[in-house]
């Protein structure tokens, strides 16, 4: 009987899923989809491996609109698509693994307790990652579940690079340090880099994971040396709606002078800022490029984003004391030729030079876009976080 692996990536308002078949070499995706608008107006969409649309429907209005109903819906839809196979393992994306989890872990009642203890470190995300684990325990009892952490890849950062300049004992006691996120994406890049660019894989590579959430990481010998995200996923680059790095004094000003409360400040830095807040137009780069010719604020947001990415690239190269390759990945990194061209132009003084024609070409394959005389090779490598989760789950097949 075919062994199937279900990968679940649950957030506060959406659940993404992929169903893989455990093939001889690597898990092969069969179906993927998501439910958006959980708690508001849940909508289910699904595609096959070749991206053919198979479903696009609202969930029944008379049912509760939470994660429970959504997971039921996904399993019901998958029922007649298992081709005689059975779901033998489930992999979950979990945002925070704290200091303890540096590898994927088989979920047990004790592990769930440990994950619950991490909720204060990621209150906006961790509860939504834990809920589906418990629900799947009830829906598919006995099927092993594996948690894969966004923080895990960054546990190799030298201690110095994990620190904030806070009182030492306070930071230690409260677990306030740079954890870093998007680790599954970086782990995927690290898994394919040795074949694509062996010299960079052995050396110093700056990876730019630029999507709705954006971060960058310095990979030395394919291990994380430093990363732009810190204690939370609001640090570092400006994002779709998040500020990125912000003078901590601004928060105090909002609290003490503007009398904003914690929820208002949370909304300000997580939901109203970044590309959306600067432009007043959209959190989506495509909209900003379309608006830029006539809207100076849309252009300002794009310019600010590119400036911060190029600046962080230089900073991360310094953290490694080397720069052997630059890799773009995720929604903007993989698709936005305009942002890539601008970022690389700004890094020209370091010897980055791209072939603009290669940069403009669209392809879902990994490819080099630098010119032969560029001092630093520049790559576009489509990321695949779900595959990393599926691979981890395969190790724990029932
Ligand atoms: P998430 O962080 O939600 O996983 P993605 O990595 O899918 O996000 O990135 C989504 C973002 O990628 C969009 O908000 C948009 O800014 C950008 N994007 C997607 N396609 C394009 C494109 N063709 N051109 C420019 N930007 C794009």
């Amino acid at each position: 009987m075919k062994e199937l692996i279900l990968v679940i990536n649950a957030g506060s308002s959406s659940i993404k899923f992929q169903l893989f078949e455990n093939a001889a070499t690597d898990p092969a995706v069969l179906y993927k989809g998501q439910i958006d608008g959980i708690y508001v107006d849940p909508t289910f969409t699904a595609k096959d491996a070749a991206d053919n649309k198979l479903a696009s429907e609202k969930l029944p209005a008379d049912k509760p609109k939470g994660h429970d109903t959504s997971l039921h819906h996904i399993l019901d839809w998958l029922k007649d698509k298992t081709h005689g196979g059975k779901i033998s393992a489930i992999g979950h994306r979990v945002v925070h693994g704290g200091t303890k989890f540096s590898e994927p872990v088989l979920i047990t009642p004790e592990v769930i307790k440990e994950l619950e203890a991490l909720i204060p470190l990621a209150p906006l995300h961790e509860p939504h990652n834990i809920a589906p684990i418990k629900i799947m325990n009830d829906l598919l009892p006995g099927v092993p579940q594996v948690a894969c952490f966004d923080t895990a890849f960054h546990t190799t950062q030298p201690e110095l690079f994990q620190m904030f300049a806070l009182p030492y004992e306070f930071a230690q006691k409260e677990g306030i340090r740079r954890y870093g996120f998007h680790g599954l994406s970086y782990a995927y890049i690290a898994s394919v880099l040795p074949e694509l660019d062996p010299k960079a894989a052995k050396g110093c590579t700056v990876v730019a994971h630029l999507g709705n959430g954006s971060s960058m990481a310095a990979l030395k010998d394919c291990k994380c040396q430093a990363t732009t995200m810190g204690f939370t996923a609001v640090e570092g680059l400006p994002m779709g709606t998040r500020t990125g790095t912000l003078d901590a004094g601004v928060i105090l000003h909002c609290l003490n002078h503007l009398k904003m409360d914690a929820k208002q400040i949370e909304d300000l830095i997580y939901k109203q800022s970044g590309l959306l807040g600067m432009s007043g137009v959209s959190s989506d780069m495509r909209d900003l490029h379309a608006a830029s010719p006539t809207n100076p604020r849309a252009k300002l947001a794009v310019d600010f984003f590119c400036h911060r990415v190029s600046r962080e690239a230089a900073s991360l190269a310094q953290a490694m004391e080397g720069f052997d390759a630059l890799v773009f990945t995720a929604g903007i990194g993989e698709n936005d030729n305009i942002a890539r061209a601008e970022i690389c132009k700004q890094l020209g003084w370091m010897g980055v030079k791209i072939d603009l024609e290669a940069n403009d070409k669209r392809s879902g394959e990994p490819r080099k876009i630098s010119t032969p005389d560029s001092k630093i090779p520049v790559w576009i490598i489509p990321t695949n976080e779900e595959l990393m989760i599926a691979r981890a789950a395969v190790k724990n097949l029932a």
Side-chain angles (χ1 to χ4, degrees), residues 330-394:
I332 297 172
E334 291 167 29
N335 299 301
D336 191 338
N337 52 338
I338 302 171
R340 280 193 310 255
E342 179 57 30
I343 292 161
C344 291
K345 193 174 100 191
Q346 292 177 17
L347 289 168
W349 70 275
M350 294 181 93
V352 169
K353 204 165 158 194
I354 58 166
D355 173 340
L356 291 174
E357 221 169 279
N359 180 48
D360 287 348
K361 225 160 70 192
R362 298 193 70 82
S363 152
E365 296 299 313
R367 59 203 186 278
K368 199 193 263 190
I369 57 166
S370 45
T371 57
D373 63 337
S374 176
K375 268 198 211 152
I376 297 160
V378 181
W379 289 88
I380 300 170
I381 306 180
T383 195
N384 198 339
E385 292 153 299
E386 289 77 13
L387 180 61
M388 295 310 288
I389 301 172
R391 283 175 181 166
V394 161

Side-chain angles (χ1 to χ4, degrees), residues 8-263:
I8 292 179
N9 178 357
S12 54
S13 63
S14 74
I15 298 177
K16 295 181 186 158
F17 73 93
Q18 290 198 11
L19 186 71
F20 287 82
E21 180 184 351
N22 183 25
T25 45
D26 218 7
V29 69
L30 299 173
Y31 300 101
K32 51 191 163 185
Q34 59 197 77
I35 296 194
D36 293 307
I38 294 178
Y39 295 110
V40 183
D41 184 20
T43 308
F44 175 75
T45 51
K47 294 176 181 171
D48 64 15
D51 270 351
N52 297 306
K53 208 179 211 180
L54 301 180
S56 176
E57 66 212 20
K58 300 244 180 238
L59 265 56
D62 56 339
K63 293 216 173 130
K65 297 185 191 302
H67 286 75
D68 210 329
T69 310
S70 291
L71 285 169
H72 264 107
H73 191 90
I74 291 169
L75 286 185
D76 275 350
W77 187 83
L78 285 173
K79 231 176 228 156
D80 63 340
K81 301 194 174 49
T82 52
H83 306 291
K86 78 167 180 79
I87 295 176
S88 307
I90 304 167
H92 294 266
R93 179 183 189 172
V94 176
V95 159
H96 221 301
T99 46
K100 169 150 189 195
F101 297 112
S102 56
E103 296 283 339
V105 63
L106 182 66
I107 293 164
T108 61
E110 290 71 41
V111 168
I112 292 182
K113 272 193 207 129
E114 292 184 88
L115 297 183
E116 283 172 337
L118 292 170
I119 288 175
L121 293 182
L124 302 181
H125 295 100
E126 202 85 343
H128 305 294
N129 303 149
I130 298 171
I133 294 173
K134 291 181 173 171
I135 296 168
M136 294 310 287
N137 234 346
D138 293 339
L139 293 180
L140 296 176
V143 176
Q145 302 198 69
V146 175
C148 300
F149 302 96
D150 264 327
T151 48
F153 187 75
H154 303 294
T155 53
T156 55
Q157 291 180 95
E159 197 188 354
L160 188 69
F161 293 4
Q162 299 187 22
M163 298 183 82
F164 292 109
L166 288 164
Y168 189 85
E169 290 82 8
F170 168 75
Q172 292 284 79
K173 179 167 165 276
E174 301 299 337
I176 300 177
R177 34 162 276 182
R178 305 184 66 88
Y179 290 99
F181 299 88
H182 289 138
L184 293 164
S185 175
Y186 296 121
Y188 176 77
I189 302 295
S191 77
V192 295
L193 200 58
E195 204 171 308
L196 293 169
D197 191 333
K199 180 168 173 261
K202 282 263 151 244
C204 303
T205 305
V206 173
V207 184
H209 175 109
L210 311 177
N212 190 36
S214 293
S215 72
M216 295 170 71
L219 270 57
K220 200 168 184 176
D221 197 12
C222 282
K223 291 186 192 65
C224 183
Q225 176 86 357
T227 186
T228 59
M229 279 183 171
F231 179 62
T232 67
V234 76
E235 158 89 322
L237 300 173
M239 305 176 216
T241 61
R242 287 173 247 169
T243 52
T245 297
L246 183 72
D247 177 346
V250 174
I251 305 291
L252 290 176
H253 180 76
C254 292
L255 269 171
N256 297 332
H257 184 68
L258 303 179
K259 306 292 178 205
M260 292 168 71
D261 64 23
K263 179 78 180 88

